[in-house]
Amino acid sequence: MLDTAVHQGKRHKLVRELADKGIDSKTVLSAIAKVPRHWFFPKDFEHYAYRDDAFPIDFGQTISQPYTVAYQSELIDVTAGEKVLEIGTGSGYQAAVLLEMGLKLYSIEYVRPLLEQAAQRLKPYKNSVKLLNGDGSRGVPKYAPFDAILVTAGAPAVANELLKQLKIGGKLVIPVGETKENQRMHRYTRMSETKFHKEVLKPFRFVPLVGKSGWDSKGS
Ligand code: SAM
């Protein structure tokens, strides 16, 4: 697909907008400057790609707002080469940003056709990413421990299994809410085998996390 000077110009404008909104990490901003977000959009709608907005994708899901992607990518506080789990691959855009940050990525998506589309888009990174299909609401113990876990759907609560899959010093960044529609970003840092430091941060609106530790388990 094309990535013209016009696309690149719009992307740099978006990066400046994100910096103005408080994103500080040079690693995150330069990853966003590199990933052609329009490649993750349906062709007819690619002109929406460089607005700082979420956008609907297939199966009632969304590609997250660039600010949200940047904010979560900054909060996981990782350096190149570290091992990260993303729960909710969706379009693959957040995954591409994490891969441009030099991370070794595992990404799990519940909806198989979405994962298949994302796999096509993420082909250039295929040596650094393992894409998985299934319920990631309790993480992926087979590949744990992780330096960070980033959840891109709103959870009703934080599953203990997720916390247990962090390395000591590792971070879990997850939107948690009492309703399906509204969440607050939570960040947990594993301080020791048994101790976790919890921070409750800004409000967000994500699509719901489904599966065993998602909203399905609450019967709603
Ligand atoms: N990171 C995505 C992007 O950059 O396009 C945005 C993801 S969208 C906001 C949330 C995704 O989480 C959806 O694709 C949804 O199917 C997925 N999801 C919801 N519950 C899940 C679960 N239990 N396991 C894996 N994926 C899940």
Side-chain angles (χ1 to χ4, degrees), residues 1 19 36 38 42-43 59 62 70 78 88 91-92 99 120 151 158 166 183 187 190 192 198 201 205 210 213 217:
M1 275 185 82
H38 62 284
K43 185 87 190 99
F59 302 95
T62 52
V78 285
S91 69
L99 287 158
Q120 288 302 317
V151 184
V158 177
L166 290 174
Q183 307 87 25
R187 178 165 74 168
R190 187 168 200 171
S192 70
K198 172 180 165 183
L201 305 162
R205 286 173 78 93
V210 299
S213 288
S217 62

Side-chain angles (χ1 to χ4, degrees), residues 57 61-64 69 86-95 108-111 114 134-137 152-153 206-211:
I57 54 174
Q61 302 304 325
T62 52
I63 174 168
S64 301
V69 170
E86 178 194 24
I87 300 171
T89 317
S91 69
Y93 175 69
Q94 166 82 74
I108 183 163
E109 170 56 51
Y110 196 77
V111 181
L114 281 182
D135 175 11
S137 64
T152 73
F206 279 82
V207 295
L209 185 76
V210 299

Side-chain angles (χ1 to χ4, degrees), residues 190-216:
R190 187 168 200 171
M191 310 304 287
S192 70
E193 265 316 305
T194 52
K195 282 207 177 113
F196 295 87
H197 173 66
K198 172 180 165 183
E199 295 161 274
V200 180
L201 305 162
K202 293 186 182 182
F204 283 91
R205 286 173 78 93
F206 279 82
V207 295
L209 185 76
V210 299
K212 282 192 180 147
S213 288
W215 284 95
D216 287 359

